[in-house]
Short mmCIF file of all heavy atoms in Angstrom, two decimals:
data_model
loop_
_atom_site.label_atom_id
_atom_site.label_comp_id
_atom_site.label_asym_id
_atom_site.label_seq_id
_atom_site.Cartn_x
_atom_site.Cartn_y
_atom_site.Cartn_z
N ILE A 85 2.63 15.00 -4.96
CA ILE A 85 1.18 15.14 -5.10
C ILE A 85 0.63 15.60 -3.75
O ILE A 85 0.98 15.04 -2.71
CB ILE A 85 0.49 13.82 -5.50
CG1 ILE A 85 1.18 13.20 -6.73
CG2 ILE A 85 -0.98 14.05 -5.75
CD1 ILE A 85 0.98 13.95 -8.01
N ILE A 86 -0.23 16.61 -3.78
CA ILE A 86 -0.87 17.12 -2.56
C ILE A 86 -2.37 16.86 -2.66
O ILE A 86 -3.00 17.16 -3.69
CB ILE A 86 -0.60 18.63 -2.39
CG1 ILE A 86 0.90 18.89 -2.27
CG2 ILE A 86 -1.33 19.16 -1.15
CD1 ILE A 86 1.27 20.36 -2.25
N VAL A 87 -2.93 16.33 -1.60
CA VAL A 87 -4.34 15.94 -1.57
C VAL A 87 -5.05 16.70 -0.46
O VAL A 87 -4.49 16.92 0.61
CB VAL A 87 -4.47 14.42 -1.32
CG1 VAL A 87 -5.91 14.04 -1.01
CG2 VAL A 87 -3.96 13.64 -2.52
N SER A 88 -6.27 17.13 -0.72
CA SER A 88 -7.12 17.64 0.36
C SER A 88 -8.57 17.25 0.08
O SER A 88 -8.91 16.79 -1.01
CB SER A 88 -6.98 19.15 0.53
OG SER A 88 -7.55 19.83 -0.56
N PHE A 89 -9.41 17.48 1.08
CA PHE A 89 -10.80 17.07 1.00
C PHE A 89 -11.72 18.29 1.03
O PHE A 89 -11.32 19.37 1.45
CB PHE A 89 -11.14 16.11 2.15
CG PHE A 89 -10.34 14.84 2.10
CD1 PHE A 89 -9.14 14.73 2.81
CD2 PHE A 89 -10.76 13.77 1.33
CE1 PHE A 89 -8.38 13.57 2.75
CE2 PHE A 89 -10.01 12.60 1.28
CZ PHE A 89 -8.82 12.51 1.98
N LEU A 90 -12.92 18.09 0.56
CA LEU A 90 -13.89 19.19 0.43
C LEU A 90 -14.15 19.85 1.78
O LEU A 90 -14.43 19.17 2.77
CB LEU A 90 -15.20 18.64 -0.14
CG LEU A 90 -16.28 19.68 -0.49
CD1 LEU A 90 -15.86 20.50 -1.70
CD2 LEU A 90 -17.59 18.95 -0.79
N ASP A 91 -14.08 21.18 1.80
CA ASP A 91 -14.41 21.96 2.99
C ASP A 91 -15.74 22.65 2.80
O ASP A 91 -16.17 22.92 1.67
CB ASP A 91 -13.32 23.00 3.28
CG ASP A 91 -12.05 22.36 3.80
OD1 ASP A 91 -12.14 21.54 4.72
OD2 ASP A 91 -10.96 22.69 3.27
N ASN A 92 -16.37 22.98 3.91
CA ASN A 92 -17.73 23.52 3.86
C ASN A 92 -17.72 25.04 3.74
O ASN A 92 -18.16 25.78 4.62
CB ASN A 92 -18.50 23.09 5.12
CG ASN A 92 -19.99 23.31 4.96
OD1 ASN A 92 -20.53 23.27 3.85
ND2 ASN A 92 -20.68 23.56 6.07
N TYR A 93 -17.21 25.55 2.61
CA TYR A 93 -17.21 26.99 2.36
C TYR A 93 -18.61 27.45 1.97
O TYR A 93 -19.49 26.65 1.65
CB TYR A 93 -16.25 27.32 1.22
CG TYR A 93 -14.81 26.92 1.49
CD1 TYR A 93 -14.19 25.97 0.68
CD2 TYR A 93 -14.09 27.48 2.52
CE1 TYR A 93 -12.87 25.60 0.90
CE2 TYR A 93 -12.77 27.12 2.75
CZ TYR A 93 -12.17 26.17 1.94
OH TYR A 93 -10.88 25.80 2.17
N LYS A 94 -18.81 28.78 1.97
CA LYS A 94 -20.10 29.34 1.57
C LYS A 94 -20.48 28.89 0.17
O LYS A 94 -21.64 28.57 -0.10
CB LYS A 94 -20.05 30.87 1.64
CG LYS A 94 -20.02 31.45 3.03
CD LYS A 94 -20.03 32.98 2.98
CE LYS A 94 -20.01 33.56 4.38
NZ LYS A 94 -20.00 35.05 4.36
N ASN A 95 -19.53 28.89 -0.73
CA ASN A 95 -19.80 28.50 -2.10
C ASN A 95 -20.18 27.02 -2.21
O ASN A 95 -21.01 26.63 -3.03
CB ASN A 95 -18.59 28.79 -2.99
CG ASN A 95 -18.95 28.89 -4.45
OD1 ASN A 95 -19.95 29.48 -4.81
ND2 ASN A 95 -18.13 28.30 -5.30
N VAL A 96 -19.59 26.20 -1.35
CA VAL A 96 -19.92 24.78 -1.32
C VAL A 96 -21.36 24.59 -0.85
O VAL A 96 -22.13 23.84 -1.45
CB VAL A 96 -18.95 24.01 -0.41
CG1 VAL A 96 -19.44 22.58 -0.18
CG2 VAL A 96 -17.56 24.00 -1.03
N GLU A 97 -21.74 25.30 0.21
CA GLU A 97 -23.11 25.21 0.71
C GLU A 97 -24.11 25.62 -0.36
O GLU A 97 -25.19 25.03 -0.50
CB GLU A 97 -23.27 26.09 1.95
CG GLU A 97 -22.51 25.59 3.16
CD GLU A 97 -22.73 26.48 4.37
OE1 GLU A 97 -23.47 27.47 4.25
OE2 GLU A 97 -22.16 26.17 5.43
N ARG A 98 -23.74 26.63 -1.14
CA ARG A 98 -24.60 27.14 -2.19
C ARG A 98 -24.75 26.12 -3.34
O ARG A 98 -25.74 26.16 -4.07
CB ARG A 98 -24.03 28.45 -2.71
CG ARG A 98 -24.99 29.32 -3.48
CD ARG A 98 -24.35 30.65 -3.83
NE ARG A 98 -24.11 31.47 -2.65
CZ ARG A 98 -22.91 31.82 -2.22
NH1 ARG A 98 -21.83 31.44 -2.85
NH2 ARG A 98 -22.78 32.57 -1.14
N ASN A 99 -23.78 25.25 -3.48
CA ASN A 99 -23.77 24.32 -4.61
C ASN A 99 -23.93 22.86 -4.21
O ASN A 99 -23.58 21.95 -4.97
CB ASN A 99 -22.46 24.48 -5.39
CG ASN A 99 -22.38 25.79 -6.14
OD1 ASN A 99 -23.26 26.12 -6.93
ND2 ASN A 99 -21.33 26.55 -5.89
N LEU A 100 -24.50 22.62 -3.05
CA LEU A 100 -24.70 21.24 -2.60
C LEU A 100 -25.60 20.46 -3.56
O LEU A 100 -25.44 19.25 -3.73
CB LEU A 100 -25.32 21.23 -1.19
CG LEU A 100 -24.39 21.66 -0.04
CD1 LEU A 100 -25.16 21.70 1.26
CD2 LEU A 100 -23.19 20.73 0.06
N ASN A 101 -26.53 21.15 -4.21
CA ASN A 101 -27.43 20.46 -5.15
C ASN A 101 -26.71 20.05 -6.44
O ASN A 101 -27.25 19.28 -7.23
CB ASN A 101 -28.62 21.35 -5.48
CG ASN A 101 -28.22 22.65 -6.16
OD1 ASN A 101 -27.14 23.17 -5.90
ND2 ASN A 101 -29.07 23.18 -7.01
N VAL A 102 -25.51 20.57 -6.63
CA VAL A 102 -24.69 20.18 -7.79
C VAL A 102 -23.64 19.14 -7.37
O VAL A 102 -23.41 18.16 -8.07
CB VAL A 102 -23.98 21.41 -8.40
CG1 VAL A 102 -23.09 20.99 -9.58
CG2 VAL A 102 -24.99 22.45 -8.84
N LEU A 103 -23.05 19.36 -6.22
CA LEU A 103 -21.98 18.48 -5.76
C LEU A 103 -22.50 17.15 -5.22
O LEU A 103 -21.89 16.11 -5.44
CB LEU A 103 -21.17 19.19 -4.66
CG LEU A 103 -20.43 20.46 -5.08
CD1 LEU A 103 -19.95 21.22 -3.85
CD2 LEU A 103 -19.25 20.13 -5.98
N HIS A 104 -23.60 17.18 -4.47
CA HIS A 104 -24.17 15.98 -3.84
C HIS A 104 -23.12 15.20 -3.05
O HIS A 104 -22.98 13.98 -3.23
CB HIS A 104 -24.81 15.06 -4.88
CG HIS A 104 -25.88 15.72 -5.70
ND1 HIS A 104 -27.08 16.12 -5.17
CD2 HIS A 104 -25.90 16.04 -7.02
CE1 HIS A 104 -27.82 16.67 -6.12
NE2 HIS A 104 -27.14 16.65 -7.25
N PRO A 105 -22.36 15.85 -2.18
CA PRO A 105 -21.28 15.14 -1.49
C PRO A 105 -21.80 14.20 -0.41
O PRO A 105 -22.79 14.50 0.28
CB PRO A 105 -20.47 16.28 -0.87
CG PRO A 105 -21.48 17.36 -0.63
CD PRO A 105 -22.46 17.26 -1.77
N LYS A 106 -21.14 13.08 -0.27
CA LYS A 106 -21.44 12.13 0.80
C LYS A 106 -20.43 12.32 1.93
O LYS A 106 -19.34 12.85 1.72
CB LYS A 106 -21.34 10.69 0.28
CG LYS A 106 -22.40 10.31 -0.75
CD LYS A 106 -22.22 8.84 -1.13
CE LYS A 106 -23.31 8.40 -2.10
NZ LYS A 106 -23.14 6.97 -2.47
N ILE A 107 -20.79 11.87 3.10
CA ILE A 107 -19.86 11.89 4.23
C ILE A 107 -18.77 10.86 3.97
O ILE A 107 -19.05 9.71 3.59
CB ILE A 107 -20.59 11.60 5.54
CG1 ILE A 107 -21.57 12.74 5.87
CG2 ILE A 107 -19.59 11.42 6.68
CD1 ILE A 107 -22.43 12.48 7.08
N ILE A 108 -17.53 11.25 4.15
CA ILE A 108 -16.41 10.34 3.96
C ILE A 108 -16.17 9.57 5.26
O ILE A 108 -15.94 10.17 6.32
CB ILE A 108 -15.14 11.11 3.54
CG1 ILE A 108 -15.40 11.87 2.24
CG2 ILE A 108 -13.96 10.14 3.36
CD1 ILE A 108 -14.21 12.69 1.77
N THR A 109 -16.26 8.27 5.19
CA THR A 109 -16.11 7.42 6.37
C THR A 109 -14.64 7.08 6.61
O THR A 109 -13.78 7.31 5.76
CB THR A 109 -16.90 6.12 6.19
OG1 THR A 109 -16.29 5.35 5.13
CG2 THR A 109 -18.36 6.41 5.83
N GLU A 110 -14.38 6.51 7.78
CA GLU A 110 -13.02 6.07 8.09
C GLU A 110 -12.55 5.01 7.10
O GLU A 110 -11.38 4.97 6.72
CB GLU A 110 -12.95 5.54 9.53
CG GLU A 110 -13.10 6.60 10.60
CD GLU A 110 -12.01 7.66 10.55
OE1 GLU A 110 -10.86 7.32 10.17
OE2 GLU A 110 -12.29 8.83 10.86
N GLU A 111 -13.47 4.16 6.68
CA GLU A 111 -13.12 3.15 5.69
C GLU A 111 -12.77 3.78 4.35
O GLU A 111 -11.86 3.32 3.64
CB GLU A 111 -14.28 2.16 5.52
CG GLU A 111 -13.95 0.93 4.71
CD GLU A 111 -12.85 0.08 5.34
OE1 GLU A 111 -12.76 0.05 6.57
OE2 GLU A 111 -12.10 -0.55 4.56
N ASP A 112 -13.47 4.87 4.02
CA ASP A 112 -13.16 5.60 2.79
C ASP A 112 -11.75 6.21 2.86
O ASP A 112 -10.98 6.12 1.90
CB ASP A 112 -14.17 6.73 2.56
CG ASP A 112 -15.57 6.22 2.26
OD1 ASP A 112 -15.69 5.10 1.74
OD2 ASP A 112 -16.53 6.97 2.55
N TYR A 113 -11.44 6.84 4.00
CA TYR A 113 -10.10 7.42 4.17
C TYR A 113 -9.02 6.34 4.03
O TYR A 113 -7.97 6.58 3.40
CB TYR A 113 -9.98 8.09 5.53
CG TYR A 113 -10.65 9.44 5.62
CD1 TYR A 113 -11.69 9.66 6.51
CD2 TYR A 113 -10.23 10.51 4.84
CE1 TYR A 113 -12.32 10.91 6.61
CE2 TYR A 113 -10.83 11.75 4.92
CZ TYR A 113 -11.88 11.94 5.81
OH TYR A 113 -12.49 13.19 5.90
N LYS A 114 -9.27 5.18 4.59
CA LYS A 114 -8.31 4.08 4.51
C LYS A 114 -8.11 3.66 3.06
O LYS A 114 -6.97 3.45 2.61
CB LYS A 114 -8.79 2.90 5.34
CG LYS A 114 -7.84 1.71 5.31
CD LYS A 114 -8.37 0.57 6.17
CE LYS A 114 -7.41 -0.62 6.11
NZ LYS A 114 -7.91 -1.76 6.95
N GLU A 115 -9.22 3.52 2.31
CA GLU A 115 -9.13 3.11 0.90
C GLU A 115 -8.38 4.14 0.07
O GLU A 115 -7.52 3.80 -0.76
CB GLU A 115 -10.53 2.90 0.34
CG GLU A 115 -10.57 2.48 -1.11
CD GLU A 115 -9.96 1.11 -1.35
OE1 GLU A 115 -9.91 0.30 -0.40
OE2 GLU A 115 -9.51 0.86 -2.49
N ILE A 116 -8.69 5.43 0.30
CA ILE A 116 -7.99 6.50 -0.42
C ILE A 116 -6.51 6.49 -0.05
O ILE A 116 -5.63 6.57 -0.92
CB ILE A 116 -8.62 7.87 -0.10
CG1 ILE A 116 -10.02 7.97 -0.73
CG2 ILE A 116 -7.74 9.01 -0.59
CD1 ILE A 116 -10.82 9.16 -0.25
N GLY A 117 -6.23 6.41 1.24
CA GLY A 117 -4.84 6.46 1.70
C GLY A 117 -3.99 5.33 1.14
O GLY A 117 -2.90 5.56 0.62
N THR A 118 -4.47 4.10 1.24
CA THR A 118 -3.68 2.96 0.78
C THR A 118 -3.55 2.95 -0.74
O THR A 118 -2.46 2.69 -1.28
CB THR A 118 -4.31 1.64 1.26
OG1 THR A 118 -5.69 1.59 0.86
CG2 THR A 118 -4.23 1.51 2.77
N SER A 119 -4.63 3.24 -1.44
CA SER A 119 -4.60 3.22 -2.91
C SER A 119 -3.73 4.33 -3.47
O SER A 119 -2.89 4.11 -4.36
CB SER A 119 -6.02 3.33 -3.46
OG SER A 119 -6.00 3.43 -4.87
N PHE A 120 -3.92 5.56 -2.96
CA PHE A 120 -3.14 6.70 -3.46
C PHE A 120 -1.65 6.51 -3.16
O PHE A 120 -0.80 6.82 -3.99
CB PHE A 120 -3.64 8.00 -2.84
CG PHE A 120 -4.90 8.55 -3.46
CD1 PHE A 120 -5.82 7.73 -4.09
CD2 PHE A 120 -5.17 9.91 -3.40
CE1 PHE A 120 -6.98 8.25 -4.66
CE2 PHE A 120 -6.32 10.44 -3.96
CZ PHE A 120 -7.22 9.61 -4.59
N SER A 121 -1.34 6.01 -1.97
CA SER A 121 0.06 5.78 -1.61
C SER A 121 0.70 4.77 -2.55
O SER A 121 1.84 4.95 -3.00
CB SER A 121 0.17 5.27 -0.17
OG SER A 121 -0.23 6.25 0.75
N ARG A 122 -0.04 3.74 -2.86
CA ARG A 122 0.47 2.69 -3.76
C ARG A 122 0.74 3.26 -5.16
O ARG A 122 1.80 3.00 -5.75
CB ARG A 122 -0.53 1.54 -3.82
CG ARG A 122 -0.07 0.35 -4.63
CD ARG A 122 -0.97 -0.86 -4.40
NE ARG A 122 -2.37 -0.57 -4.67
CZ ARG A 122 -3.32 -0.54 -3.74
NH1 ARG A 122 -3.02 -0.75 -2.46
NH2 ARG A 122 -4.57 -0.28 -4.07
N SER A 123 -0.20 4.04 -5.67
CA SER A 123 -0.04 4.61 -7.01
C SER A 123 1.12 5.59 -7.07
O SER A 123 1.90 5.61 -8.02
CB SER A 123 -1.34 5.30 -7.45
OG SER A 123 -2.39 4.37 -7.59
N ALA A 124 1.23 6.44 -6.04
CA ALA A 124 2.31 7.43 -6.02
C ALA A 124 3.67 6.74 -5.95
O ALA A 124 4.61 7.10 -6.68
CB ALA A 124 2.12 8.38 -4.84
N LYS A 125 3.79 5.76 -5.09
CA LYS A 125 5.06 5.05 -4.93
C LYS A 125 5.47 4.36 -6.22
O LYS A 125 6.66 4.36 -6.60
CB LYS A 125 4.94 4.03 -3.79
CG LYS A 125 6.25 3.31 -3.49
CD LYS A 125 6.07 2.36 -2.30
CE LYS A 125 7.39 1.66 -2.00
NZ LYS A 125 7.23 0.71 -0.84
N LYS A 126 4.51 3.80 -6.92
CA LYS A 126 4.78 3.11 -8.19
C LYS A 126 5.44 4.03 -9.20
O LYS A 126 6.25 3.59 -10.03
CB LYS A 126 3.47 2.54 -8.75
CG LYS A 126 3.61 1.79 -10.05
CD LYS A 126 2.27 1.26 -10.52
CE LYS A 126 2.40 0.53 -11.86
NZ LYS A 126 1.08 0.02 -12.32
N HIS A 127 5.11 5.33 -9.12
CA HIS A 127 5.62 6.29 -10.10
C HIS A 127 6.62 7.27 -9.47
O HIS A 127 6.82 8.37 -9.97
CB HIS A 127 4.46 7.04 -10.73
CG HIS A 127 3.54 6.13 -11.51
ND1 HIS A 127 3.87 5.63 -12.74
CD2 HIS A 127 2.33 5.60 -11.19
CE1 HIS A 127 2.89 4.86 -13.18
NE2 HIS A 127 1.95 4.82 -12.26
N ASN A 128 7.24 6.84 -8.36
CA ASN A 128 8.33 7.59 -7.71
C ASN A 128 7.89 8.99 -7.27
O ASN A 128 8.61 9.97 -7.45
CB ASN A 128 9.53 7.69 -8.65
CG ASN A 128 10.09 6.33 -9.04
OD1 ASN A 128 10.40 5.52 -8.17
ND2 ASN A 128 10.19 6.07 -10.33
N MET A 129 6.70 9.07 -6.70
CA MET A 129 6.16 10.33 -6.21
C MET A 129 5.85 10.20 -4.72
O MET A 129 5.56 9.11 -4.23
CB MET A 129 4.86 10.69 -6.94
CG MET A 129 5.00 10.84 -8.44
SD MET A 129 3.38 11.01 -9.24
CE MET A 129 3.85 11.00 -10.98
#
């Protein structure tokens, strides 16, 4: 599984009113990292 995060492309700037993205905090990265790692490992990925 390959993961990436939203980048600020021209199309993204144009669609901010649809996406409504929040700033990802260090705590968010930690939660994503630990949770995703756990799920992947459980299924041998």
Side-chain angles (χ1 to χ4, degrees):
I85 309 291
I86 299 173
V87 169
S88 70
F89 298 93
L90 186 70
D91 288 312
N92 195 29
Y93 300 117
K94 288 182 179 179
N95 201 42
V96 170
E97 292 182 0
R98 198 175 292 116
N99 290 305
L100 288 176
N101 62 329
V102 178
L103 297 167
H104 303 293
K106 293 182 177 181
I107 294 174
I108 301 178
T109 66
E110 290 299 327
E111 191 62 31
D112 293 333
Y113 283 118
K114 180 179 179 180
E115 180 65 24
I116 290 169
T118 54
S119 175
F120 281 26
S121 293
R122 184 168 56 248
S123 295
K125 184 177 181 180
K126 181 179 178 180
H127 297 284
N128 300 306
M129 301 171 185

